[in-house]
Amino acid sequence: MAHESTSANPKVNYEYRRRKARDEMRGQVTSFAMMIFMTFIAFIIVIADFDKFYAFPILLVLAAAQVVLQLYYFMHMSHKGHGTAALFLYSGALIAFVTILTFLTIVWW
């Protein structure tokens, strides 16, 4: 009886891993398509010669969204066990943001 339960377990484990891999691949392909679309929008903004006052913030938002998608899907930051790396990465991004904000405030005042 114990042999029957262990023989069914690898099949269940295989199906679970296959489903999980399929879902992960779907997420990666979807995020890749979104990044291509965002890049296309950025090129159109630059080629159409939009006003820099509007184009620059839009390009920065598109770039930030692509960075988040890259980190979350392609660098596997969504998986377990990457907590320490994510902490250092996000704290470094926060320090960079505060530094840039500080210098921009100093320059404008």
Side-chain angles (χ1 to χ4, degrees):
M1 202 182 266
H3 188 285
E4 289 177 20
S5 64
T6 58
S7 66
N9 196 15
K11 174 104 172 134
V12 172
N13 190 22
Y14 172 75
E15 290 298 324
Y16 170 76
R17 292 176 67 195
R18 185 172 177 186
R19 188 177 337 111
K20 188 168 176 99
R22 184 187 68 221
D23 291 343
E24 185 174 341
M25 181 60 75
R26 181 180 294 142
Q28 287 184 351
V29 169
T30 303
S31 67
F32 180 71
M34 288 171 47
M35 286 187 282
I36 294 294
F37 180 72
M38 285 189 276
T39 303
F40 182 69
I41 295 296
F43 276 126
I44 287 179
I45 288 172
V46 172
I47 289 172
D49 201 28
F50 278 72
D51 186 22
K52 290 182 181 178
F53 184 74
Y54 297 111
F56 192 68
I58 292 171
L59 292 175
L60 284 178
V61 167
L62 289 174
Q66 284 194 1
V67 166
V68 168
L69 286 172
Q70 284 277 341
L71 289 174
Y72 190 74
Y73 285 104
F74 294 115
M75 298 302 289
H76 305 287
M77 295 297 280
S78 61
H79 293 175
K80 292 181 180 178
H82 290 96
T84 306
L87 173 70
F88 283 114
L89 184 76
Y90 295 135
S91 59
L94 178 66
I95 290 171
F97 174 74
V98 169
T99 303
I100 290 170
L101 185 65
T102 302
F103 284 126
L104 286 175
T105 305
I106 291 171
V107 167
W108 279 343
W109 277 354

